[in-house]
Amino acid sequence: MAANSQRSLLEHRLVIVTGKGGTGKTTVSAALALAGARAGLRVLVAEVGPDEQIPRLLDPQAPQAGYAGCSLLPGLRAIRIDPFEALSEYLTLQLGVRAVVDAVLRNKAFRQLMTAAPGWRELITLGKIWHVAQLETGDPPRREFDLIVVDAPATGHGVAFLDVPRVVVSAVRAGPLHLHSERVEQLLEDPEQTLVLPVALAEELPAREIAELTDRVRNEMGISIDRVIVNAVVGAPFPAEISDLDEALGRLDGNLDLGTLPSPRALTRCARYLRSRHELNRHFASEIQHTTGLPIVELPRLAEGIRSPNQISSLASALLADPVFLE
Amino acid sequence: MKSDARLDAMLAEREVIVCVGCGGAGKTTVAASLAFEAARRGRKALVLTIDPARRLADAMGVESLGNRPHAIPREMLDELGVPEAGALSAMMLDMKRTFDDLVERFAESEEVRDRVFANSIYQHVSNALAGSVEYSAMEKVFEMHQSAAFDLIVVDTPPAQHALDFLEAPQRLLEFLDSRIVKMLIHPAFKAGRFGFRLFHRATQRVLHVLERITGIGFLEDLSEFLIAFDAMSVGFRDRALRVRALLLGPRSSFVLVSGPGRISAGHATDFLDHLAGFGVPLAGVLVNRMRLWPSPGPPPADAPWQAADVEALRDALRAGEGADYPAELAAEAAAKAATRYAEWVRADARSAQPLRERVEAQGCFWGCIPEFERDVHDLSSLACVADQIAGKEEEP
């Protein structure tokens, strides 16, 4: 059953891709950015972790994007937001005097403070995202980017960082920090513009975590979330009339010599593995849908993970499919 | 996997085993299995987890325990072949409580304690202050080790981008508490308001002005009060952090790196190894979790070399077994295809893990693979199966 109430992923300004490590969040971010660029949008894809992966996923020859960013394809730019560089840019915008900012940033005491201080990295990173979302270009001026895809950090529940502006708005009474956090919060909480896109595996622990994440994003943070990407799903391995193939194989003499083929014992293992992963994925895909109340989009499991831009390209179309409620 | 003398020695002799690795590799499962295996070998083991799978937690009874070790009941251990001498306990770190306990312990007076607890910054940041998860995990390890209630503590570290966050974050937290800027913020002149700034060095004044301009003075006042309260406790903190570090880097401890089999995961693990080596961490070995292994001796054949005649032989065998109505031809082809598909996965895992394996073996550390199970690991008996694999008791799941 298709869920028709959803807008296309491409009809948002800011899509924040979240998920635990190992769920394929970075791949999904790259695929979504590619899908946007192909649809003729001007897309920026932003990584926030210490290592940069997306440019090389999309183009093995790509240069490092860094904070300045690089152009990967027509209409597709990538950046990696380093918090200290974002802080430097922010302070320069605020104080206007580059020399003062440089002196402060070089100050050892200041660096020590910033190394230990909580929350500011998340805040400044979101601030930078807010900033690029406001950028305009051309004459008459239009938005520089139609779509910004953020590959969110994999730590914690992956959404804690989205909560920082809200916490700052309540903990800091007044001043620029309060004001700017409030602007970022408004962008995040605007369902017309911002969508959180969770990526999960159809396995037990990820299924539970995604339910907690969805609940927090919707109820505590008030950020729009309308589907779950269920990644690495093992499809039905056998035709319907022999769906219990592994059992039939298991009834053969396990050591029968089949020449080039593995023995029935080994074939049984292969078949049983495929079937049980398939059934497990089915079970938890529907559990994800029940516990989150959200429709899902399934992406297939690839044997070797992503090895070439072509594979990202095939995921890009699958990613844009209408989310469905499983029967 | 085959039993390895280095792994056996680790399980027999160490007092602390620290499992490190990226998130998603199954660190919690591996940590719990190592503790179980040590218990099965007659030791009193504790697994300290940070963020366990809920059902694993339920199975081990750690859900409702807060911050204390919970002993797995003797009957359950008997069923799983743990001898009388062995014991297994589990606990889940409650970071906020650990931090609160620390404040209780090191606050010099009730007044200091109450001031810390009441401070709005403490309330917001004791969970978020950079390094506080790592600090509280290390603190808990030390407390449990001191208690001498266990022969072995297996620690499941918080997922980290960098291998050494666990070791370095507490140090950074302490350096911060020791830093000039904190000394300034807790200086009495600071409390006296902005005119007090003049007492400081010019560069310092500048930093304070910038901070004030960005955050507003109210924030700095709260921060100052928080730090004053914390400063009163920092001597105790510091002493303890140094002792924890000495324990973890000393001869009583071993580190085990847990990785997933995928290319990205194995790549991260290789980076981890570099960091660990640079830091002098006592790495015992690497366990690759959820590896897909070929069910026959030898490596999986490449490029599906199945001969048509062999597929037909399988078809005939299936027809003979299942009867004339069974779609044996379809089934034989599907079985051959399943073998092809599975072989591809097995080869992909082996290829991705190979560079890591070479590194590890060149370093003289143990290398082990735990196969991917057909079901998720969510109770003690499946944990025992993982332990069987780690200990080399069984060839296949």
Side-chain angles (χ1 to χ4, degrees):
Chain A
M1 177 177 105
N4 292 320
S5 59
Q6 275 78 11
R7 285 187 291 161
S8 157
L9 289 175
L10 303 181
E11 289 169 322
H12 296 83
R13 283 186 60 64
L14 176 58
V15 177
I16 297 165
V17 185
T18 64
K20 284 261 177 161
T23 56
K25 184 175 62 66
T26 302
T27 307
V28 168
S29 303
L32 179 58
L34 184 64
R38 278 207 201 133
L41 300 178
R42 293 176 303 268
V43 181
L44 178 72
V45 57
E47 289 183 85
V48 300
D51 14 79
E52 185 178 305
Q53 295 175 37
I54 289 177
R56 263 166 297 148
L57 276 176
L58 290 168
D59 173 7
Q61 315 301 326
Q64 287 276 308
Y67 192 71
C70 71
S71 200
L72 294 174
L73 294 166
L76 176 53
R77 279 185 76 76
I79 62 168
R80 185 180 76 79
I81 302 178
D82 173 77
F84 273 100
E85 292 199 60
L87 182 65
S88 166
E89 187 185 4
Y90 175 73
L91 291 177
T92 306
L93 287 170
Q94 289 303 301
L95 304 172
V97 190
R98 182 82 216 186
V100 172
V101 173
D102 287 345
V104 167
L105 287 172
R106 272 199 311 270
N107 182 286
K108 190 169 168 242
F110 183 79
R111 289 196 81 93
Q112 277 178 329
L113 177 69
M114 297 317 273
T115 303
W120 73 269
R121 287 176 187 75
E122 292 83 354
L123 189 62
I124 201 80
T125 300
L126 289 167
K128 171 69 176 173
I129 290 162
W130 178 87
H131 184 68
V132 292
Q134 316 305 314
L135 290 178
E136 293 189 331
T137 183
D139 184 28
R142 54 176 170 78
R143 289 285 160 92
E144 190 162 341
F145 298 107
D146 303 307
L147 171 67
I148 298 167
V149 178
V150 179
D151 181 8
T155 48
H157 278 288
V159 289
F161 96 120
L162 296 175
D163 214 15
V164 172
R166 201 173 59 100
V167 171
V168 171
V169 167
S170 62
V172 178
R173 291 167 258 172
L177 189 60
H178 180 93
L179 179 71
H180 295 151
S181 302
E182 206 167 48
R183 285 191 195 148
V184 173
E185 191 191 3
Q186 279 161 4
L187 170 64
L188 293 177
E189 290 177 5
D190 178 358
E192 287 302 309
Q193 301 200 66
T194 302
L195 181 76
V196 166
L197 185 65
V199 183
L201 299 177
E203 295 173 17
E204 184 194 0
L205 179 59
R208 276 171 184 266
E209 283 168 351
I210 208 71
E212 287 164 19
L213 178 145
T214 308
D215 184 56
R216 256 191 94 185
V217 169
R218 267 199 300 218
N219 301 326
E220 287 176 36
M221 302 182 181
I223 305 179
S224 174
I225 184 168
D226 72 352
R227 75 195 76 191
V228 179
I229 306 296
V230 179
N231 195 16
V233 174
V234 174
F238 318 121
E241 60 268 48
I242 49 165
S243 61
D244 58 353
L245 175 62
D246 54 314
E247 287 166 29
L249 291 168
R251 284 188 286 268
L252 298 174
D253 168 10
N255 297 319
L256 186 66
D257 183 1
L258 291 171
T260 54
L261 275 175
S263 68
R265 176 174 296 118
L267 284 173
T268 306
R269 286 244 168 84
C270 297
R272 199 168 63 205
Y273 176 84
L274 291 179
R275 181 179 164 192
S276 62
R277 286 325 286 190
H278 167 67
E279 286 172 359
L280 181 120
N281 285 169
R282 285 263 60 74
H283 173 80
F284 285 108
S286 87
E287 179 136 322
I288 286 173
Q289 172 200 298
H290 286 302
T291 53
T292 61
L294 293 173
I296 64 179
V297 174
E298 289 188 4
L299 299 179
R301 172 134 152 184
L302 305 173
E304 309 212 20
I306 297 293
R307 294 188 85 86
S308 77
N310 282 342
Q311 288 172 307
I312 301 260
S313 174
S314 71
L315 286 181
S317 345
L319 187 60
L320 294 185
D322 285 331
V324 295
F325 286 105
L326 304 169
E327 293 306 321
Chain B
M1 66 188 254
K2 277 215 308 267
S3 173
D4 186 299
R6 292 162 294 189
L7 186 137
D8 291 341
M10 175 183 83
L11 287 172
E13 292 158 16
R14 292 293 173 271
E15 293 168 24
V16 179
I17 296 173
V18 184
C19 294
V20 294
C22 298
K27 222 165 23 194
T28 308
T29 303
V30 172
S33 305
L34 286 170
F36 176 83
E37 185 56 26
R40 198 156 56 179
R41 295 178 185 198
R43 301 187 80 198
K44 294 184 177 30
L46 167 72
V47 56
L48 169 63
T49 93
I50 311 298
D51 183 22
R54 205 48 67 67
R55 271 167 73 187
L56 182 62
D58 291 349
M60 300 187 82
V62 292
E63 173 106 53
S64 57
L65 292 165
N67 219 11
R68 298 270 161 264
H70 171 81
I72 308 300
R74 189 66 240 173
E75 315 84 76
M76 289 173 83
L77 295 180
D78 283 341
E79 267 174 42
L80 295 165
V82 175
E84 275 305 315
L88 179 61
S89 297
M91 68 178 287
M92 193 160 96
L93 180 74
D94 178 338
M95 210 174 60
K96 178 87 174 114
R97 283 249 317 251
T98 302
F99 234 80
D100 289 353
D101 289 350
L102 270 177
V103 172
E104 294 262 0
R105 179 175 311 129
F106 291 120
E108 59 195 9
S109 66
E110 281 183 20
E111 195 220 326
V112 169
R113 184 198 64 194
D114 294 343
R115 222 165 57 215
V116 174
F117 286 157
N119 183 279
S120 77
I121 293 191
Y122 180 78
Q123 289 165 2
H124 277 107
V125 306
S126 62
N127 274 315
L129 192 63
S132 57
V133 188
E134 290 82 1
Y135 189 94
S136 26
M138 284 180 65
E139 165 61 28
K140 213 52 183 177
V141 173
F142 191 69
E143 185 192 323
M144 290 296 128
H145 186 258
Q146 289 288 91
S147 79
F150 304 99
D151 304 325
L152 171 68
I153 301 163
V154 185
V155 194
D156 164 33
T157 58
Q161 295 276 3
H162 295 299
L164 294 170
D165 279 356
F166 181 64
L167 284 168
E168 284 178 334
Q171 192 62 30
R172 280 204 298 268
L173 185 64
L174 289 166
E175 275 168 17
F176 164 63
L177 289 174
D178 222 11
S179 68
R180 198 144 50 92
I181 195 140
V182 170
K183 296 294 171 235
M184 260 151 24
L185 287 168
I186 65 178
H187 194 287
F190 184 82
K191 292 277 294 182
R194 49 174 310 138
F195 296 110
F197 283 12
R198 289 205 198 123
L199 286 173
F200 301 120
H201 188 266
R202 273 188 69 85
T204 305
Q205 281 184 35
R206 194 157 54 194
V207 169
L208 289 174
H209 278 301
V210 167
L211 282 174
E212 186 195 342
R213 201 151 149 199
I214 301 300
T215 62
I217 187 76
F219 177 76
L220 286 190
E221 275 166 9
D222 282 353
L223 182 64
S224 166
E225 196 184 284
F226 168 69
L227 291 170
I228 288 169
F230 239 75
D231 188 59
M233 306 183 305
S234 67
V235 176
F237 270 42
R238 183 163 302 106
D239 174 56
R240 224 161 148 92
L242 290 175
R243 290 165 70 188
V244 178
R245 211 175 141 98
L247 170 66
L248 293 184
L249 294 180
R252 296 168 172 196
S253 304
S254 276
F255 282 60
V256 172
L257 177 63
V258 182
S259 171
R263 207 161 36 91
I264 292 175
S265 185
H268 278 307
T270 310
D271 295 343
F272 262 55
L273 285 182
D274 291 334
H275 290 150
L276 292 171
F279 212 74
V281 163
L283 180 74
V286 173
L287 291 171
V288 179
N289 193 22
R290 307 183 65 178
M291 190 82 175
R292 286 165 291 199
L293 302 175
W294 189 240
S296 291
D303 302 324
W306 329 128
Q307 303 254 323
D310 297 326
V311 179
E312 282 162 24
L314 175 61
R315 176 199 63 197
D316 296 342
L318 281 167
R319 184 167 294 149
E322 303 293 310
D325 292 342
Y326 189 74
E329 178 136 6
L330 187 66
E333 276 162 19
K337 213 170 112 195
T340 306
R341 202 164 154 202
Y342 190 64
E344 265 173 35
W345 280 344
V346 171
R347 284 203 311 275
D349 283 357
R351 196 160 43 230
S352 304
Q354 188 57 28
L356 179 63
R357 177 175 193 156
E358 285 167 9
R359 261 295 292 281
V360 171
E361 288 178 344
Q363 282 186 18
C365 297
F366 70 77
W367 165 265
C369 296
I370 303 164
E372 181 168 30
F373 286 78
E374 284 158 15
R375 299 272 157 226
D376 282 351
V377 173
H378 55 69
D379 59 16
L380 273 183
S381 58
S382 43
L383 214 54
C385 293
V386 178
D388 285 343
Q389 294 294 325
I390 292 175
K393 287 219 174 86
E394 270 180 33
E395 282 280 287
E396 288 295 329

